[in-house]
Every structure is written in C-alpha cells, then in structure tokens.
Amino acid sequence: METDYVVGQDNIEGQLGPFGFDVHNRVFIVSALASLVFIILTLLFPARAGALFQTIVSFATGTLDWYFMLVVDFFILFCVVLIVSPYGSVRLGGPDARPDYHYLSWFAMLFAAGIGIGLLFFGVLEPVYHANVSLPLGIASPFGADGALNPEAIPEATALGLAGTYLHWGIHGWAVYVVMALALSIFTYNKGLPFSIRSAFFPILGDRVWGWWGHVIDILAVFSTLFGLATSLGLGAQQANAGMNFVFGLEVSAAAQVIIILLVTAVALVSVWRGLDGGVKKLSEFNMIMAVLFFFFVLLAGPTLVAMSGFWTGLTTYVTEFVPLSAPFGREDDAYRQDWTIFYWAWWISWAPFVGMFIARVSRGRTIREFVICVLIIPSLFIFIWMGVVGSTALDQLYASPETSLVKAYVIDTYSPELSLFGMLNELPLTGLMSTIAIVLALIFFVTSSDSGSLVIDTITAGGKIDAPRTQRMFWAVVEGLIAIVLLLGGGLSALQAGVTATAIPFSIVMLLMCYSIIKALNGELRLGASKLR
C-alpha cells in the first residue's frame, strides 16, 4: 500500500516552558478541548449529567441489545476464519520478524492491560449474582420467593452462574481485542503505515484517511479509550475505598474515592515517565506474580475440591450453553442479558483501541494463527480458573451459612458489589492480610491500566508517533483520572456505564469496517508471499 504520507507530517512540535510537545494538530486539540469541556460541564451540572447518563444506558441496553450481541458474535466468527484459513500463516512484521518479548512477559502484559480491575471487582460478584438473582437462561434460583434455600436447585444454579460469568470474560471479549490489535499490527508492521487507528482504513479511504475522515476515526478512538478506562478507574476506586473501610475503617464516600483516584494517578505518572519497559512491563510482571499468589491462597485456604470442581463444571456448562448464551433472540432472561451482557460488550468495545494498540505494540513477530489462538485462549483460561475458583468458594460459603454469609449480604441482600470480594475473604484465614493484598492488587491494576491507556492515547494524538515527549502521556493520565472523578460525582455506576456505551455505539461500526480492511490487507500479504515463491 503506497502513500506519500509521513508519520508526524501534520504534527505541531515545540517547547512550552520546560515541557516539549509533538502533537497531531487536529486530533490532539479536538480531543483535549472536548475532554476538558466534558469535565467542566459535568462538574457544573451533575444532576442533569446523571439523568443524561441514565438515558444513554437505557437506550443501549434496552433498544440496541440485539445489535451489540450480533456484532460481538461476528467478531468470534471472524477470528475462527483467520485461524483455519491460509491467513493464519502470515507473520506480523513480515516473514523474517521474530517476537520482541518471550511468552511469559507477553502473557503478563496481556493479563495486566487487558483484564484490569475486573478480576477483583467481579470475581465474587458475578458468579453469586448470576446464580441467585439474574439467572441466565431463566433457571430457578436456590432461594425461592419465600427466601428458603432449595438444595436441589444449587448445582444447576451454580453451574450456570459460573457459565454466565465466563461468557462475559471469555473469548467474546478477547475476540474484540483481536480485531483491533490485528488491524494495527498488519497495517503498521506489514504495510509500513503509521501506528494509528486510521491506518486500518487505508484500503477503504485511500489517502483521504490522512484528512478529516481519519481525524474523526482517531478522535472516536480517543474518547472510547478515555471512557473505557474511566469506568475501570471508577470501579477500582470504589473497591479500594470499600476494602479500606472493611480493613481499616476508612469512610466510604465520594471524597475518599476522589482522593484514591488522585493518588493512584500520581503513581501512574511516575510509571508513565519510566516508559513501557521500565514502567508497564515491570508493574505487569509484579502484578501477575501477586495475583497468582493471591489466587493460590484462596484455592488452598478455601474448599479446594469444591473450587476446582466448580471451575470445571462452570467450564463444561459454558461450552454446552455457549450458543444459547450468545444468541440475541428468543430469550427471556432480560435482567441478565440487558443489564450485564450488553454493558460488557460495550465495555470491551470501548477498551478495544486501548488494549488493541497495547497488544499490537507487544506482539510483533507472531504469526496470525499463533496470535489469535493465544490472545483468545490463554487469558480466557486464566480468567475462567480465577473466577471459577473464587466464585465457587464464595458460593460454597453462601450455601453453607446463608443466614450469616457476608457474601449473601453484600451481593444479594444489600447489593454492595465493591464489598463482595471482602465478604468472601472474611470467611478465610488471614482476612486482614489478604484483604490488604487485594487492595494493593486493585491499586496496581489501576496504575497499569492508566499507564497503558496514556501510552495508547498519546500515540493516537501524536499522529502515530510512539516516541512523543513523555509529558504528553502524563497529560492524558491526568485527564483519565479527572474523567473518572467527574463520572463518579455525576452519577456513580450508571454514569460509568453511560460513558462506555455512548462511545461503544459508534466505535462498533468502526470495528466492523476494520474486519473488511484486515481481509483486504491479508489478501495482499498472501499474494506477495506467493509471488516470492515463484
């Protein structure tokens, strides 16, 4: 693909006091100004903002539920085609390229950047909630209308509760990431185009992609990333605050959560300053080690056989119920599908520019078949094991002592999702120590997400440059934190969900068009390989 465009040709470079800058003159300015206007207006009119956020959530989950489900199902089929077709033999970076990172570091960065706070926030919450409240596929709850426990309903409810959780954290979401990461990798490493979202549309738009069409695509990617990250940062602040209240008695309040976001953003600024290898890579590896140790403690200190059996039962149920759970039509489980699944699909799509660009940055040298299989399967299996063990442990506690279970109190009775993990830890040894470690893990996930997201947004707003001044990445880290704060103040969880769904609606269309561009580019790679053989 030939073009006269040079990376950074539309950039503005200069010095502002001690800080240098190198930004795309339109993408950066529009994105930065719009972000600041959003922050100011939400702070000035929080009640109106909250009402608007709720309207957006209701529209996306109640009216467009079928659309989001069909889009994500299509991404899975697209990934399967890439694996089984000749496209799978194409290597990212060309035939002679070799991976920049060994498998362990690669998996660690996938794990830290692509999963984030979700493992800790939803690991207990979802299996318990789905098994007893939202009831995927309309199964009977172990707790009947009279609140009495029905032992006969427990096995099926547990299996489908875990399967419903696996659906939200498995290959559906990672297929979204695959599409974005592949598009960026192919057009950057194989076609020599700038490392930017707009490059994936060169087969469709030609050189027009360097004009306003491309500007709009990149700006959409910036906002999608900002609001996807803000949702994770907001949830992380809520859980860290709840954990500190559980362990140390710190008051749960919006002020405390704002302070947590500010402090963690400050730490993220240090990591941003250190760069990819010195910051994100080291934090990701440390976080993976901490998470694995935390997981084994829960496994060994809790009902080990019950936990492993629950993981396996949930996995087999997930496989057998994969099609019904993925189908958008002919279902009666509206509470599960609309309130949970659609929010998740919007969240994965909104995270796609951020995680996709980050995965692309660390995946050069892999074949497409290796890349797709690993990105779909390895993180999904890790999540299944984690949530299967943690979720089964929590469910076992709930059914063993429903009258005194904190898990039941936090998830079913009062619905305090940020406390669900600590309710489970309360029934295990070393509650205070492990709860403190959980808080630290949440905060590190917080930092790595902010750090990685700032790197990606800066790349987009710097016209595809990956070596722009570090102060720009620090600017975006601050903006991410501020957006998380104003969303929390402007409506809490509903505002966080609204930010995600509002940006995911237009960006899902962008990603569907990306699939067409990927196939066109891969056809060119296969023709090139065939001509070299001749």
Side-chain angles (χ1 to χ4, degrees):
M1 296 183 180
E2 297 181 0
T3 179
D4 295 329
Y5 185 83
V6 178
V7 176
Q9 72 176 37
D10 295 324
N11 283 19
I12 302 172
E13 298 182 56
Q15 198 78 16
L16 189 62
F19 306 113
F21 61 89
D22 186 356
V23 299
H24 190 284
N25 60 346
R26 292 177 177 84
V27 175
F28 179 89
I29 292 171
V30 173
S31 300
L33 288 178
S35 299
L36 295 176
V37 168
F38 172 84
I39 291 168
I40 293 169
L41 290 179
T42 305
L43 286 175
L44 290 176
F45 307 104
R48 293 185 181 181
L52 176 61
F53 295 151
Q54 188 56 54
T55 301
I56 293 171
V57 172
S58 299
F59 173 73
T61 59
T63 306
L64 296 180
D65 54 335
W66 60 272
Y67 167 74
F68 276 113
M69 295 198 77
L70 287 178
V71 166
V72 177
D73 288 345
F74 171 77
F75 290 150
I76 292 179
L77 293 175
F78 183 75
C79 290
V80 172
V81 169
L82 293 176
I83 292 171
V84 301
S85 69
Y87 298 136
S89 61
V90 175
R91 188 173 292 276
L92 301 176
D96 299 325
R98 291 297 176 265
D100 296 325
Y101 299 96
H102 57 74
Y103 275 115
L104 184 60
S105 291
W106 188 42
F107 292 155
M109 286 189 279
L110 291 178
F111 164 76
I115 300 169
I117 197 66
L119 278 182
L120 297 172
F121 194 92
F122 293 100
V124 169
L125 171 65
E126 271 209 77
V128 174
Y129 192 87
H130 297 330
N132 295 280
V133 181
S134 67
L135 306 174
L137 301 180
I139 63 173
S141 169
F143 291 95
D146 58 358
L149 183 63
N150 177 14
E152 294 181 359
I154 289 176
E156 184 183 15
T158 298
L160 273 170
L162 288 166
T165 305
Y166 293 172
L167 177 81
H168 296 154
W169 294 91
I171 65 173
H172 283 80
W174 289 92
V176 175
Y177 290 167
V178 165
V179 171
M180 177 62 66
L182 266 185
L184 289 162
S185 298
I186 291 167
F187 287 97
T188 300
Y189 302 138
N190 296 70
K191 302 301 182 183
L193 297 180
F195 191 67
S196 188
I197 308 292
R198 69 173 71 198
S199 295
F201 292 85
F202 190 85
I204 300 174
L205 297 172
D207 280 321
R208 288 175 297 171
V209 81
W210 313 124
W212 271 107
W213 282 102
H215 301 343
V216 171
I217 291 168
D218 279 351
I219 291 167
L220 275 176
V222 168
F223 283 111
S224 182
T225 304
L226 282 173
F227 285 101
L229 282 168
T231 299
S232 298
L233 301 185
L235 293 176
Q238 289 178 337
Q239 186 171 41
N241 188 192
M244 291 174 184
N245 172 264
F246 185 83
V247 180
F248 308 113
L250 177 69
E251 180 187 3
V252 175
S253 66
Q257 291 162 20
V258 168
I259 291 172
I260 290 171
I261 292 175
L262 291 175
L263 291 176
V264 174
T265 300
V267 177
L269 291 176
V270 176
S271 181
V272 164
W273 183 263
R274 290 179 60 85
L276 182 63
D277 291 327
V280 179
K281 180 173 176 287
K282 292 186 182 300
L283 274 175
S284 299
E285 291 173 346
F286 174 74
N287 213 27
M288 186 174 185
I289 294 170
M290 289 278 290
V292 168
L293 292 175
F294 180 85
F295 165 82
F296 276 110
F297 170 82
V298 174
L299 175 64
L300 298 175
T304 306
L305 293 180
V306 171
M308 292 306 298
S309 174
F311 151 69
W312 182 251
T313 302
L315 183 60
T316 55
T317 306
Y318 169 69
V319 173
T320 57
E321 301 295 335
F322 185 86
V323 173
L325 285 169
S326 304
F329 306 114
R331 296 172 58 169
E332 299 178 358
D333 54 342
D334 290 351
Y336 171 78
R337 188 182 73 259
Q338 295 182 355
D339 295 346
W340 288 87
T341 304
I342 304 309
F343 164 65
Y344 270 110
W345 288 180
W347 196 8
W348 286 95
I349 290 171
S350 72
W351 264 51
F354 152 46
V355 181
M357 290 192 79
F358 188 78
I359 292 174
R361 282 284 301 271
V362 299
S363 299
R364 184 179 180 276
R366 311 282 176 186
T367 66
I368 286 179
R369 185 171 292 112
E370 173 191 20
F371 173 84
V372 174
I373 291 174
C374 286
V375 174
L376 284 181
I377 302 301
I378 300 301
S380 296
L381 278 177
F382 183 93
I383 295 170
F384 294 166
I385 294 171
W386 177 289
M387 292 195 163
V389 167
V390 173
S392 296
T393 300
L395 284 166
D396 183 70
Q397 294 173 357
L398 184 155
Y399 296 135
S401 305
E403 297 83 7
T404 60
S405 169
L406 283 182
V407 170
K408 182 174 181 291
Y410 293 149
V411 177
I412 301 175
D413 297 339
T414 63
Y415 193 64
S416 304
E418 65 278 1
L419 282 168
S420 56
L421 174 65
F422 302 102
M424 183 271 291
L425 291 174
N426 187 67
E427 305 297 323
L428 299 180
L430 305 174
T431 299
L433 174 63
M434 297 314 298
S435 297
T436 302
I437 290 175
I439 295 169
V440 172
L441 272 173
L443 294 176
I444 296 176
F445 272 127
F446 207 153
V447 172
T448 54
S449 295
S450 176
D451 190 343
S452 307
S454 304
L455 184 68
V456 166
I457 295 173
D458 180 49
T459 300
I460 298 173
T461 57
K465 284 190 173 182
I466 59 176
D467 56 350
R470 287 176 288 188
T471 50
Q472 294 172 201
R473 299 199 294 273
M474 298 173 75
F475 167 79
W476 288 114
V478 172
V479 171
E480 291 160 20
L482 290 176
I483 289 180
I485 288 170
V486 299
L487 287 175
L488 278 176
L489 297 178
L493 181 60
S494 64
L496 296 172
Q497 292 175 320
V500 165
T501 53
T503 53
I505 293 169
F507 204 75
S508 62
I509 300 171
V510 170
M511 292 194 64
L512 287 171
L513 293 173
M514 270 184 175
C515 295
Y516 172 77
S517 292
I518 289 172
I519 295 300
K520 288 207 68 172
L522 290 178
N523 284 333
E525 289 294 299
L526 292 179
R527 286 195 297 270
L528 180 62
S531 66
K532 287 183 177 179
L533 289 176
R534 289 196 296 269

